[in-house]
Amino acid sequence: MTASVSYFTHGQIGNIVIDSPPVNALSQHVRQGIVDALQTAAGDDTQIVVLRCEGRTFIAGADITEFGKPPQAPALAAVLEALESHPKPIIAAIHGTALGGGLELTLCCDYRVATTSAKVGLPEVNLGLLPGAGGTQRLPRLAGLAQAIDMITTGRPITARDALTARVVDEVCAGDLGEGATKFAEALIDQGEGKRLTRDIPLRMSDEDTALLSQTRDTIAKRLKGQTAPQRILDCLEAAGTLTFEEGLAAERRAFEACMEDPQSAALRHLFFAERAAGKIDGMAAGTKAQPVKHAGIIGAGTMGGGIAMCFAQSGFRVTLVDQDEDGLDRGLSIIKKNYEISIKRGRLSAEQVEGFLRNLEPTTDWQQLQDVDLVIEAVFENLELKQNVFQKLDEICAADTILASNTSYQSIDALAAATNRPDRVVGMHFFSPANVMRLLEVVRGEASSDITLATAMAVGKKIGKVCALSGMCYGFIGNRMLRHYGREAALCVMEGASPAQVDQAMERWGMAMGPMAVGDLAGLDIGYRAREQLSDEEKGPRVNYLLADRLVEAGRLGQKSGAGYYRYNPDTRAREEDPAVAEIITATRAELGITPRSVSEEEIVDRLTLALANEGARILEEGIAQRASDIDVVYCFGYGFPRFRGGPMHVAEARGLQSVVDTINRFHDTLAAENWVVAPLLARLATQGGSLADIGL
Ligand code: 3HC
Ligand code: NAI
């Protein structure tokens, strides 16, 4: 046995207990411990073995930190072999989550019992992998191909109840798992039940299965375009239905290795750890605790305030939603209700759930209702003076320790803090539109924001299901500051010769959820136009960067809301279509600036847009605005539709090689507008001296 696996007997039952915090992953010492314990159990006078875990969960999978390192014996395959060839029946007793290799291990046991709250799943696809310990071969034998296709291609875990229906588990224990498993074991002994291997269950593919596989291939090719793991998963499932078990297992092994070597998996594994690291604040005093928050106030029931209120209400917080007048409130509430109605229609929420959420929501125009809130998020118009007034008013009304947060996109958190007598309790909480859908929350640290304030904003963000990343104070914070460079290059590619559709196609084919021109149309071209009106010519920069957008707005093309922007939108289907009128405006704008169009390749578009992000990201990192490069990746993948399987802009740069990045930026400096392409000093230094973006800030 090892320190993380123990074995004891109780009557006729041998008990293997895994205790390897935090999530009982199948690290080398756990694998070794299980093999040792199985050997002991084989030699004693017990009749049956129960395998279970201590701590918050059953085995959450292979140890992801071991991936990419030299393998250490015993391999997981040897553990599974030891389970299947064991002389005694083995019962897996599951609580928490049995995920990936954890669930696969249970499929090599003879029986499975689970607590009511347990979940089981094969989430490898989220890491660009496939179940590599027999999951693609054993799960369809137990649960059928349709269930296996759904679970393995989506990676979504299922509840114990659903697992029972799908025959993945044999019993759900309502009470104590240990007692339940013991009873189950005793019953098996009484009935003389013995070994029962999943691999022996016959599996034959029906015509419906074949049709489902091919249909899933098509939907996945569209929905998860460019991703390799899901298609490989379907190959393995097809093998399960058409080959012998051993042949299927060999096919799975080959496909798993191909995934492991695929840069997509490296990117997704990077993001797995990046997401978890982003929630941590470097240098925070040990023992800093978040303040309890039960009641939240939201100021402004507009696009953002409404979405933020939904996030809180559906996570069980009491929410007081304030707007300046009844009209504002009614407008906001009707949008919230409409959103929920759509969710009910699509079967995502039940009417009872929605009723519960709405009960948590208290709309009012009376600011005094904010007296006992624990946290307020301001989401009124983007105007500093107005926001400062709001903060001053909140400072007077709310209790002294209430945290005051702003959802501002651009204003200085320090200027807002200065309007209060509690600058240490002022912080930015920058959500992304639509706020009830987008996962990212930038927590913005003002000069005076205290550790407790930051810890509270992070904890609340996590509770409402957001992925939080800390940003220091600068114009646009991490995400929008970088976006200006991305948007500029998109605009310049069009001015130099590409069409808006070519730019969007290039980025979408590369993996962006939506190309930059289509995003502009969605957000509304008038927003940038109005923002530019406030700026001096110098602040606006060269006209070539924005003249086309101005011309479109002046022609009444505000984007989707006016039915036309860079594209025109089909009034019935809302589908975007290229518009000859835009081509004319582009031609005229180029002529006005004396530009002769040239052909801009897809490769150039992708390089310019992604490297513009990485170069500004490197500055942000060097200035300490971002704590780590991986936080920037989190911001882009969760807030801006950056393809997760590319790992984020900083990972893209790192994976490409920083010298190649610097060389390409220098080439752009020599051939394009030089002022836009000055290599960030950090990139230049790392490329020359060697070193990794991942080491900066540590
Ligand atoms: N390997 C190594 N570390 C892991 C891990 C794993 N499989 N799963 C979680 N961790 C670590 C996290 O990095 C985190 O570390 P940190 O505290 O240093 O940041 C810690 O465990 C706690 O994780 P969470 O913060 O995610 O804790 P939660 O309670 O929110 O969630 C969980 C628990 C649902 C188990 C979640 O961690 C999770 O989904 N884990 C990954 C599950 C997974 O993908 N399994 C498949 C692995 S691949 C595989 O099994 C291949 C096989 O087919 C051969
Ligand atoms: P909006 O115009 O949709 O909503 C603003 C709401 O605030 C309106 O309902 C208005 O009646 C209310 N309001 C104005 N003054 C008020 C006052 N004194 N007291 C109470 N309520 C008042 O604006 P939107 O888009 O929701 O933006 C709000 C904030 O969120 C802005 O700071 C914006 O920069 C920021 N933001 C916006 C994003 C977006 O995509 N729309 C994304 C991220 C942040």
Side-chain angles (χ1 to χ4, degrees):
M1 253 76 34
T2 56
S4 44
V5 182
S6 57
Y7 178 74
F8 69 93
T9 61
H10 183 74
Q12 295 175 297
I13 303 171
N15 293 276
I16 300 177
V17 182
I18 302 166
D19 186 7
S20 181
V23 295
N24 291 312
L26 287 164
S27 316
Q28 189 277 334
H29 50 96
V30 173
R31 299 195 299 272
Q32 185 65 58
I34 298 174
V35 170
D36 293 351
L38 285 171
Q39 210 167 12
T40 311
D44 65 22
D45 56 4
T46 57
Q47 300 277 316
I48 201 162
V49 179
V50 172
L51 182 149
R52 66 176 174 86
C53 292
E54 287 293 345
R56 67 204 221 214
T57 177
F58 190 80
I59 302 166
D63 182 344
I64 306 169
T65 61
E66 286 183 359
F67 291 173
K69 296 182 188 153
Q72 282 181 290
L76 183 52
V79 180
L80 305 185
E81 159 67 19
L83 287 164
E84 284 193 326
S85 62
H86 201 271
K88 299 174 185 174
I90 302 172
I91 303 164
I94 303 167
H95 76 289
T97 43
L99 297 178
L103 177 59
E104 292 175 289
L105 181 140
T106 74
L107 300 181
C108 294
C109 297
D110 302 278
Y111 303 90
R112 286 154 293 279
V113 298
T115 59
T116 330
S117 59
K119 286 189 174 169
V120 302
L122 294 171
E124 285 88 344
V125 70
N126 299 327
L127 300 169
L129 297 172
L130 50 87
T136 63
Q137 306 303 302
R138 290 190 182 86
L139 186 65
R141 282 180 161 73
L142 262 186
L145 260 170
Q147 178 77 28
I149 289 174
D150 185 53
M151 283 177 69
I152 307 179
T153 59
T154 65
R156 266 197 302 272
I158 58 171
T159 62
R161 285 259 161 252
D162 289 344
L164 185 67
T165 312
R167 295 193 303 275
V168 178
V169 302
D170 301 288
E171 192 165 287
V172 175
C173 313
D176 179 76
L177 180 64
E179 281 170 23
T182 303
K183 264 199 202 133
F184 187 83
E186 286 166 354
L188 288 178
I189 296 170
D190 288 349
Q191 292 153 18
E193 297 284 358
K195 295 287 287 179
R196 195 186 65 161
L197 296 187
T198 310
R199 63 158 70 206
D200 294 338
I201 302 172
L203 174 69
R204 215 154 273 126
M205 211 149 79
S206 65
D207 289 348
E208 284 115 72
D209 290 336
T210 312
L212 181 63
L213 262 176
S214 114
Q215 190 195 332
T216 313
R217 268 190 208 285
D218 293 345
T219 36
I220 277 180
K222 282 193 209 108
R223 192 168 53 83
L224 303 174
K225 58 179 184 282
Q227 297 195 39
T228 49
Q231 294 293 352
R232 289 190 178 122
I233 286 170
L234 294 176
D235 293 344
C236 292
L237 288 167
E238 188 169 344
T242 50
L243 306 177
T244 65
F245 179 79
E246 291 302 339
E247 287 166 346
L249 213 53
E252 182 195 89
R253 173 98 330 243
R254 285 192 300 275
F256 183 77
E257 276 160 15
C259 283
M260 243 341 174
E261 280 160 24
D262 196 313
Q264 293 192 3
S265 177
L268 286 160
R269 281 181 273 136
H270 160 76
L271 264 187
F272 177 84
F273 291 111
E275 181 183 339
R276 282 153 181 85
K280 294 173 186 149
I281 300 173
D282 291 342
M284 177 165 284
T288 305
K289 281 221 173 71
Q291 251 172 235
V293 175
K294 291 201 167 67
H295 183 182
I298 314 283
I299 316 295
T303 311
M304 295 306 290
I308 298 168
M310 287 172 75
C311 295
F312 278 83
Q314 61 206 40
S315 308
F317 290 83
R318 191 178 148 204
V319 185
T320 299
L321 179 62
V322 177
D323 207 287
Q324 54 189 346
D325 51 35
E326 292 293 340
D327 275 359
L329 268 188
D330 289 348
R331 233 185 357 256
L333 275 176
S334 70
I335 294 173
I336 292 176
K337 285 183 184 155
K338 209 167 100 200
N339 281 335
Y340 279 139
E341 269 160 29
I342 295 172
S343 298
I344 295 175
K345 254 194 211 133
R346 294 193 177 151
R348 291 202 195 118
L349 291 172
S350 69
E352 295 74 49
Q353 278 174 307
V354 167
E355 266 170 42
F357 301 160
L358 292 175
R359 264 198 304 276
N360 288 342
L361 202 59
E362 297 163 25
T364 180
T365 51
D366 174 12
W367 290 66
Q368 296 309 318
Q369 302 298 320
L370 295 164
Q371 275 178 9
D372 67 351
V373 297
D374 307 305
L375 166 81
V376 189
I377 299 175
E378 165 279 310
V380 302
F381 304 135
E382 187 71 4
N383 174 303
L384 180 60
E385 211 177 312
L386 170 67
K387 284 182 190 285
Q388 281 181 318
N389 286 339
V390 167
F391 269 71
Q392 200 178 354
K393 200 159 158 184
L394 290 171
D395 193 40
E396 283 161 16
I397 294 169
C398 300
D401 61 351
T402 298
I403 290 171
L404 307 182
S406 174
N407 180 49
T408 179
S409 304
Y410 293 103
Q411 305 302 336
S412 156
I413 299 302
D414 300 330
L416 299 178
T420 72
N421 291 311
R422 63 180 90 193
D424 58 318
R425 292 190 182 268
V426 174
V427 67
M429 288 178 78
H430 184 217
F431 292 77
F432 289 75
S433 181
N436 54 318
V437 175
M438 296 299 286
R439 297 279 318 278
L440 179 67
L441 173 62
E442 274 182 326
V443 172
V444 187
R445 186 204 290 254
E447 207 180 327
S449 309
S450 70
D451 279 0
I452 292 180
T453 302
L454 295 172
T456 308
M458 287 276 185
V460 165
K462 196 170 176 196
K463 270 201 194 130
I464 59 172
K466 301 298 177 198
V467 177
C468 303
L470 186 70
S471 173
M473 215 14 257
C474 66
Y475 187 75
F477 316 133
I478 295 175
N480 284 345
R481 171 168 157 186
M482 286 165 68
L483 193 67
R484 292 174 76 196
H485 297 261
Y486 174 85
R488 178 199 68 223
E489 287 310 310
L492 290 180
C493 284
V494 172
M495 291 313 296
E496 287 165 35
S499 69
Q502 274 170 335
V503 172
D504 281 349
Q505 262 166 27
M507 296 315 292
E508 287 167 12
R509 264 204 281 262
W510 188 77
M512 291 300 290
M514 206 186 227
M517 304 303 176
V519 169
D521 276 358
L522 183 68
L525 302 181
D526 54 323
I527 293 181
Y529 186 87
R530 272 191 271 117
R532 279 192 294 278
E533 280 181 332
Q534 315 294 319
L535 302 178
S536 65
D537 281 351
E538 203 191 339
E539 285 167 329
K540 279 198 264 188
R543 286 174 83 215
V544 64
N545 293 355
Y546 61 84
L547 191 60
L548 175 59
D550 278 6
R551 293 287 179 260
L552 291 171
V553 173
E554 286 154 10
R557 307 182 69 102
L558 310 185
Q560 281 199 26
K561 62 178 139 187
S562 68
Y566 286 106
Y567 299 91
R568 67 176 175 216
Y569 292 86
N570 185 308
D572 301 322
T573 61
R574 287 172 76 189
R576 73 188 195 213
E577 294 163 0
E578 285 191 68
D579 189 344
V582 174
E584 275 174 31
I585 296 175
I586 293 173
T587 305
T589 313
R590 284 180 190 144
E592 190 180 340
L593 294 168
I595 297 169
T596 311
R598 65 177 172 91
S599 144
V600 183
S601 72
E602 190 159 326
E603 186 189 354
E604 179 180 339
I605 294 170
V606 172
D607 273 358
R608 285 172 67 172
L609 271 63
T610 54
L611 294 185
L613 286 175
N615 200 37
E616 190 62 13
R619 290 182 202 280
I620 282 176
L621 186 59
E622 188 157 36
E623 288 167 25
I625 297 292
Q627 300 186 96
R628 9 184 137 76
S630 64
D631 285 9
I632 299 174
D633 290 333
V634 164
V635 165
Y636 262 77
C637 291
F638 290 97
Y640 293 85
F642 199 95
R644 298 189 56 166
F645 67 86
R646 302 269 183 198
M650 307 316 280
H651 181 82
V652 166
E654 191 101 83
R656 178 179 181 144
L658 297 185
Q659 189 59 56
S660 157
V661 168
V662 167
D663 292 345
T664 311
I665 294 178
N666 279 331
R667 181 162 51 82
F668 289 157
H669 179 271
D670 295 342
T671 53
L672 303 170
E675 72 272 19
N676 295 336
W677 291 104
V678 178
V679 176
L682 175 66
L683 286 181
R685 199 174 72 236
L686 289 176
T688 326
Q689 297 174 358
S692 158
L693 288 168
D695 298 331
I696 305 301
L698 295 180

